[in-house]
Amino acid sequence: MTNPYLAEWTTEFNLPPFADLKDEDVKPAVEAALSEGRAAIKAIADNPEAPTFANTIEALEKADATLSKVLGAFYGMAGADTNDTRDALMREFSPMLSAYSSEITANAALFQRIETLWQERESLDLTDEQQRVLMLTRRSFVRSGAKLEGADKDRMAEIKSRLATLGTQFSQNLLGDEREWFMELSEDDLEGLPQFVVDAARSAGEEKGAKGPVVTLSRSLITPFLQFSPRRDLREKAFRAWAARGENGNANDNREIAREILELREERARLLGYENFAAYKLETEMAKTPEHVRDLLMRVWAPAKEAAERDAAILSKMMAEDGVNGDLAPWDWRYYSGKRRKAEHDLDEAELKPYLQLDRMIEAAFTCANRLFGLEFEPLDVTTYHPDARAWNVTRNGRHMAVFIGDYFARGSKRSGAWCTAMRSQQKLEGDIRPIVLNVCNFAKPPKGEAALLSYDDARTLFHEFGHALHQMLSDVTYDSISGTSVARDFVELPSQLYEHWLEVPEVLEEFATHAETGAPMPRDMLERLLAAQTYDQGFATVEYVSSALVDLEFHDGPAPKDPMKAQAEILAKIGMPKAITMRHATPHFAHIFSGDGYSSGYYSYMWSEVMDADAFEAFEETSPFDPAMAKRLEDNILSKGGSEDAEALYTAFRGRMPGVEALLKGRGLLAAE
């Protein structure tokens, strides 16, 4: 019987046949795909013909087609709906895949063919896109150690294998802590909580098999609990559990893993001739150097800290007026900030939430994409990997553009956070291949028969991830390696953060923010108060984020710390971290930088991109939010281009120049404080 992972998929749009994909079939499929890939690589390296772009670079692009097919389906499912078997498979695959990658980049004959093409590139009559792919391919080989020899080459392979294993373990440890902890609530403990939080706690209790409602470490539940619970003792208990993920001294403890990862990264960078890992990592990003990153972060840190300290004084006074002795603590901030927002902006999350229905916010994201880019979304009646996941056929003028899958609800089998991935990327080398794009979120699932309601932050997250999805859907390049979001890390967040702005367009909320029970649109005065409060508490949010980005940078810009937790404390003390605010991601649960190399030395990239997204949306504000000419410029110069050109060139082609930090500070309400 043919392995369903390896069989030709005859499903609609060649979607993975999820109902047929069994966990026991994954490993044989991966092993077969690796064998096929190795044979293809050997054929390229041993080809007696002189190297050409077609028989070397394009052949490399095609070599892993089966492996990409298998892993695209498996990892897409495993991140959103894991189990013990899938966890074990991911741990087993990490060193296998790392070894395979190392074999390729260490293949001297293969690299020599690439180097020959590089030296002869001016005479090869390549297109601009082909020149870019050749440069990126050679650079990837060099940065992976292709020029290393002997013991150094062997050591590099060992380091990459070990890092792959540690990254997977870090992620699974974090999920383990998040999955195992919950706090049972009595009926009295529910006092003061709005109904949507009570409903979410009861649903979580049912999932955990508890006797009643519980608070879990799902952000969609713990954040509103911290915001609304008047019980300071319960807020403290919940917050401490949230903050202690990955450092509980149990089997899921990540502190030693983080230390080893940092040491191995430093060694890897030094083997390649770099002073430290940050210098190595940032060389290929827009920022280029740690100094440029630090300059941006510190320019934002100063006004953000000032704003946070002013807010802390106000919240401390409110707490004292409540008769609470002691200093304002991290488990107090959201509670008193919520009360202050209601007092100053007359905004109550419980009153706001019924107007932010999940289905209507999905519809809003789709409609904005239609008005901007002409995309249309039709529900697909197909089997997905989980009953909660939904699929749409994305078309433009009758042409199939993508399949979009949305998986929105939190569950124990899903890692925390929100993300976008492509189970299949757009490319034209092997035909008109259109992408399969997946958005995963962790919103609270409502009781059966009731509408799913979002916070405004949830709605922003939905738009953010859909911005990433648009980057994949509108990609129009020849080569998979530069498709969609395959861009510099500090450029990848531009489309996603830019798309968030359309949620703030009044006419969008006027149409789609409708009450779950009455269907009435959000009252005009509430809408105006909501938009007026967009910069509320930005001191807190910015301090949370920038402190995390600075710790990430300092961890990698110099010798690896022997004790990351001690180093974290020293970094925070040096920048004067406010006592009532914690890092958004403390080291033991900082998955962005320790679950893989993606955002290592690069967590700053959200803010680097925000400098551009604030400036880019100003271009629309100068005309209109749905200006078709500006939308076409955005698609033609950024969304369709993937990594086919340098990021700075792409942005400059769209906007005519690179932006300064002022638009970001203005957008966060921090400009006056600078």
Side-chain angles (χ1 to χ4, degrees):
M1 182 176 176
T2 304
N3 187 310
Y5 274 97
L6 299 173
E8 181 181 354
W9 294 344
T10 58
T11 49
E12 190 173 11
F13 305 114
N14 298 119
L15 285 168
F18 293 110
D20 298 331
L21 301 181
K22 309 300 182 187
D23 290 346
E24 59 264 29
D25 294 320
V26 183
K27 184 178 178 181
V30 169
E31 290 174 339
L34 287 172
S35 294
E36 180 183 308
R38 286 188 170 98
I41 296 298
K42 186 176 188 305
I44 299 168
D46 295 347
N47 190 340
E49 297 177 7
T52 65
F53 190 84
N55 71 20
T56 303
I57 304 301
E58 289 188 343
L60 269 174
E61 291 274 333
K62 298 175 182 178
D64 291 334
T66 300
L67 187 62
S68 295
K69 170 185 169 181
V70 173
L71 295 180
F74 173 70
Y75 280 110
M77 294 188 294
D81 189 30
T82 195
N83 55 41
D84 290 344
T85 300
R86 290 175 182 175
D87 282 349
L89 286 168
M90 286 190 285
R91 290 193 297 270
E92 187 173 1
F93 290 165
S94 291
M96 288 170 58
L97 296 171
S98 177
Y100 175 67
S101 175
S102 293
E103 287 173 28
I104 295 172
T105 54
N107 188 315
L110 177 61
F111 179 64
Q112 186 55 56
R113 293 178 71 85
I114 296 168
E115 187 67 15
T116 297
L117 291 172
W118 177 249
Q119 298 301 328
E120 298 175 353
R121 63 189 182 279
E122 299 299 332
S123 62
L124 297 179
D125 194 26
L126 301 178
T127 66
D128 290 344
E129 186 176 337
Q130 289 172 330
Q131 289 272 14
R132 176 77 173 169
V133 171
L134 174 59
M135 183 278 290
L136 291 173
T137 302
R138 178 184 179 273
R139 187 176 74 180
S140 175
F141 270 69
V142 171
R143 287 171 57 82
S144 294
K147 290 188 173 183
L148 297 178
E149 297 179 350
D152 287 348
K153 176 175 286 193
D154 294 340
R155 179 57 183 157
M156 178 63 76
E158 292 173 0
I159 290 172
K160 289 194 286 185
S161 177
R162 181 62 178 160
L163 283 171
T165 297
L166 291 171
T168 299
Q169 188 63 58
F170 187 98
S171 181
Q172 293 186 356
N173 285 352
L174 177 56
L175 178 58
D177 263 4
E178 291 173 346
R179 191 164 45 198
E180 292 167 11
W181 187 92
F182 61 90
M183 179 175 70
E184 295 186 355
L185 301 175
S186 69
E187 292 301 313
D188 289 343
D189 296 337
L190 300 177
E191 186 177 346
L193 297 177
Q195 191 59 45
F196 75 86
V197 181
V198 173
D199 290 342
R202 294 195 191 281
S203 294
E206 291 176 8
E207 184 192 1
K208 295 296 184 184
K211 296 178 181 178
V214 304
V215 173
T216 68
L217 296 182
S218 169
R219 187 179 291 274
S220 63
L221 178 51
I222 196 169
T223 298
F225 180 80
L226 292 169
Q227 181 179 346
F228 289 107
S229 176
R231 289 281 302 277
R232 193 180 191 223
D233 58 331
L234 296 181
R235 295 199 312 266
E236 179 178 0
K237 183 177 179 181
F239 184 88
R240 287 189 182 279
W242 174 249
R245 290 168 297 152
E247 56 174 317
N248 288 304
N250 56 14
N252 296 325
D253 200 295
N254 274 329
R255 287 172 288 188
E256 178 59 24
I257 290 176
R259 183 201 62 75
E260 187 178 354
I261 286 174
L262 292 172
E263 287 188 354
L264 290 173
R265 284 176 179 165
E266 181 189 7
E267 185 180 358
R268 177 183 180 183
R270 291 188 180 279
L271 279 172
L272 294 170
Y274 294 87
E275 183 178 355
N276 54 56
F277 185 79
Y280 160 76
K281 188 68 184 295
L282 294 172
E283 180 185 50
T284 59
E285 309 299 335
M286 294 183 74
K288 302 302 182 190
T289 68
E291 291 72 28
H292 289 157
V293 174
R294 190 174 291 105
D295 177 66
L296 168 67
L297 294 175
M298 292 309 297
R299 287 189 65 188
V300 178
W301 174 257
K305 181 186 172 188
E306 289 176 13
E309 288 174 338
R310 288 194 301 271
D311 291 340
I314 295 171
L315 301 185
S316 295
K317 184 178 179 182
M318 292 173 64
M319 193 170 78
E321 290 170 352
D322 271 357
V324 180
N325 295 321
D327 296 331
L328 182 74
W331 47 89
D332 298 316
W333 192 291
R334 288 174 176 84
Y335 179 69
Y336 284 100
S337 180
K339 293 178 71 171
R340 179 188 172 199
R341 187 174 79 152
K342 180 167 174 51
E344 294 185 1
H345 296 280
D346 194 20
L347 278 178
D348 184 336
E349 190 81 25
E351 294 177 9
L352 180 63
K353 247 191 165 180
Y355 291 97
L356 299 174
Q357 301 175 66
L358 171 61
D359 286 349
R360 295 244 66 196
M361 291 300 101
I362 294 171
E363 189 181 352
F366 287 177
T367 299
C368 290
N370 175 263
R371 293 184 63 181
L372 290 164
F373 310 113
L375 298 178
E376 297 181 341
F377 300 81
E378 179 184 357
L380 284 172
D381 184 15
V382 295
T383 299
T384 58
Y385 59 85
H386 190 278
D388 286 346
R390 300 182 253 173
W392 289 265
N393 176 24
V394 187
T395 61
R396 180 159 62 183
N397 299 323
R399 179 196 175 200
H400 172 66
M401 296 292 289
V403 170
F404 174 66
I405 300 174
D407 181 358
Y408 296 106
F409 296 128
R411 54 180 173 267
S413 63
K414 182 188 287 187
R415 64 180 170 90
S416 63
W419 65 93
C420 175
T421 189
M423 289 186 170
R424 181 177 69 222
S425 298
Q426 178 272 331
Q427 52 121 324
K428 293 185 283 191
L429 183 60
E430 298 183 271
D432 185 15
I433 307 299
R434 302 308 306 171
I436 300 170
V437 188
L438 174 63
N439 272 181
V440 183
C441 299
N442 270 280
F443 305 142
K445 190 172 184 178
K448 191 172 183 179
E450 296 185 18
L453 305 179
L454 306 182
S455 68
Y456 193 73
D457 283 345
D458 288 340
R460 187 189 299 277
T461 296
L462 187 149
F463 268 69
H464 177 100
E465 298 306 332
F466 194 73
H468 282 308
L470 287 172
H471 205 178
Q472 299 278 11
M473 295 176 195
L474 295 173
S475 179
D476 186 25
V477 298
T478 301
Y479 301 99
D480 185 297
S481 62
I482 55 169
S483 177
T485 57
S486 298
V487 299
R489 180 61 62 178
D490 49 9
F491 192 64
V492 76
E493 297 298 336
L494 169 62
S496 55
Q497 293 179 186
L498 175 59
Y499 203 66
E500 293 178 31
H501 289 278
W502 273 274
L503 178 61
E504 302 168 1
V505 174
E507 64 187 274
V508 173
L509 289 171
E510 287 169 356
E511 181 176 358
F512 295 102
T514 57
H515 198 279
E517 295 180 4
T518 68
M522 182 182 290
R524 183 72 194 184
D525 67 318
M526 180 184 286
L527 188 152
E528 290 174 351
R529 284 183 274 116
L530 174 63
L531 295 178
Q534 289 308 291
T535 59
Y536 177 74
D537 217 17
Q538 276 299 308
F540 170 84
T542 308
V543 163
E544 251 197 338
Y545 167 78
V546 174
S547 59
S548 298
L550 283 167
V551 168
D552 167 40
L553 180 66
E554 299 304 334
F555 272 176
H556 295 99
D557 186 26
K562 298 299 182 185
D563 183 346
M565 298 305 294
K566 180 182 177 183
Q568 173 185 292
E570 291 171 348
I571 295 164
L572 296 179
K574 182 178 179 181
I575 62 176
M577 183 74 171
K579 292 181 179 179
I581 305 178
T582 60
M583 294 167 62
R584 183 172 298 174
H585 305 290
T587 298
H589 55 259
F590 207 162
H592 278 79
I593 68 169
F594 290 114
S595 287
D597 273 357
Y599 282 90
S600 54
S601 297
Y603 192 63
Y604 76 91
S605 61
Y606 289 94
M607 187 147 284
W608 191 274
S609 292
E610 190 176 342
V611 170
M612 290 180 285
D613 84 62
D615 177 70
F617 194 68
E618 281 191 352
F620 283 90
E621 290 180 316
E622 290 163 4
T623 54
S624 76
F626 293 99
D627 178 15
M630 193 61 66
K632 190 173 189 311
R633 282 176 62 90
L634 179 63
E635 179 179 351
D636 289 349
N637 292 298
I638 294 177
L639 297 179
S640 68
K641 293 290 190 180
S644 61
E645 295 180 37
D646 180 76
E648 187 168 332
L650 292 176
Y651 189 84
T652 302
F654 167 66
R655 196 68 167 109
R657 52 162 175 72
M658 289 299 293
V661 75
E662 291 73 19
L664 177 149
L665 293 172
K666 176 184 175 184
R668 287 187 172 233
L670 302 173
L671 192 59
E674 189 181 29

